[in-house]
Amino acid sequence: MVADSFRASKTFTTLVVSFAIFTDILIQNLVVPVLPYALHTRVGLDNNDDIQRWTSILLAAFGAVLMIGCLFFGYVADLLPSRRTLFILGLVLLFLSTLFFALATSVWALLAARILQGLSTAIVHTVGYTLLTEVVGKEHLGKAMGYTSMALSSGLLIGPVLGGVLYEYCGFFQVFLPAFGLITIEAMLRCMVVEKEKKKPAPLISPSSQLPTAPPGASQTHAAAQHPLSTESDPLLSHPPQSTARHAGVYKALLTSPRFVVALTSLFVLNSIANGFDSTLVPFVQDAFNMRASRVPALFLALAIPMLLAPLSGWLADHHGPRFPILAGIAVAIPALILLSLISQATTTPLLKMVMILAFVGLSFALAMGPLGVHAILAVHEIEEQSAPDEFGANGILARAIGLQNTIIAGGGLLGPLYAGFVRVAVGWKGLELLNAGLCAGILILALLSVDRRRVGGRQSEETAV
């Protein structure tokens, strides 16, 4: 049996959460390339418009459930004594969603599968990151988040390719066999995780315990009469329930923290830009260059592969604070997006030039997004340190903060493709990328004003506050 000390270690917890994110993202993207074919061959839709409509509905349903689920499970995770219980529930939902997909013969079964998948992803990204943050501590948070970002990118890279190949050469049901294998491994890993013990709040002293001991020969009734517990003017409940006000206070504290709000705004903008490529990159290269489908994956690989460098940006955040990688990442994105806007029908060797530019865009995401998450967590710790003991409950506000953060990120993933598609139609590819560069310039200014040079370990050389 694996020693409890290893099961509770930072290394093992980082491995389990990273593998959970990899599994979840891979399975999520495993089904995306085969979804239109499933609607045709399994459900029986023949009309292309119906297939397009239901594909969009199923993809949008996942995004909507993910946004709501992150908030809900963040709220629940801070109320429950154990994070692991929800973490394991997420795996059960992932298994059910995969089974529904594999056996579905109606659009309603596919919709149910997609909803369950959204709930599972919400748990992994909220409870998983909360568990990881509590175990690794602030000193190694950047590096740990770098590994989770690398796991996420690996799932994004492998999922669609694996799903397409298995469907082409093996069949529909066989697409899901790797998913069930990964879920089996994940079940063993999640059950082995040992949570970090939380400090229990000091018990409240009841009024009766403050009664003086009756002197010898005197009755307890006499002592109580000298020190009555209450009077007619005292409220019946000396400590009325404050759960509603407390939870409202959590979100008020988070949304009035300039550092936390700037981190979330920056993550929303960068994630919207990243997901906007999903709806605009392929139509642009097809319209401008009539590029063959076999060349298109190179463009998305150029965006995704630099994310494998995310542990390096996490190391920088741990040792030098999140300020440098955040500012460097956003600063790299601005000229890269401007150069991307210059790509047109007159461009020679467009594929080579776009791959090179998109690689710098991907590098900017790798540098900035992980440290922005670290910056948000540091802001949460700052809020907790400045609050009264047990002001936000025994478990603090970490899960709710991460839930809110992931809701904002999911919002970028949901709205990004819509925003990019509409803007490209309205003002063209050049206008879209120039607007994206302008948005990055805006968050760069916010980051300059709000992100300090504080090291994750707690030491601070210089600070700039809003």
Side-chain angles (χ1 to χ4, degrees), residues 190-271:
R190 292 198 198 189
C191 290
M192 290 170 64
V193 168
V194 175
E195 290 187 70
K196 182 179 179 180
E197 291 186 5
K198 302 181 181 69
K199 293 180 180 180
K200 295 183 179 180
L204 294 174
I205 301 175
S206 63
S208 59
S209 66
Q210 297 178 344
L211 281 175
T213 305
S219 66
Q220 289 291 341
T221 305
H222 174 72
Q226 289 182 325
H227 300 276
L229 288 177
S230 62
T231 67
E232 290 184 2
S233 62
D234 291 336
L236 292 176
L237 291 175
S238 57
H239 297 285
Q242 297 179 350
S243 59
T244 303
R246 172 180 286 175
H247 295 306
V250 168
Y251 294 109
K252 181 181 178 182
L254 291 171
L255 295 176
T256 53
S257 166
R259 290 190 176 93
F260 187 76
V261 171
V262 167
L264 262 60
T265 302
S266 302
L267 285 168
F268 176 80
V269 169
L270 293 178
N271 205 45

Side-chain angles (χ1 to χ4, degrees), residues 343-432:
I343 301 290
S344 66
Q345 289 179 328
T347 303
T348 57
T349 61
L351 178 63
L352 176 61
K353 290 177 180 177
M354 288 193 75
V355 164
M356 292 175 64
I357 296 170
L358 287 170
F360 277 100
V361 175
L363 177 63
S364 72
F365 295 153
L367 281 171
M369 294 186 78
L372 278 169
V374 173
H375 181 56
I377 298 301
L378 290 177
V380 173
H381 286 312
E382 187 178 74
I383 293 169
E384 290 183 325
E385 288 167 1
Q386 293 175 354
S387 64
D390 200 31
E391 180 179 347
F392 299 122
N395 292 330
I397 62 173
L398 183 60
R400 280 166 285 187
I402 291 177
L404 180 59
Q405 175 180 320
N406 284 317
T407 297
I408 297 298
I409 293 173
L414 185 62
L415 297 178
L418 295 174
Y419 143 79
F422 281 113
V423 172
R424 179 177 172 258
V425 169
V427 298
W429 173 260
K430 183 175 183 177
L432 170 64

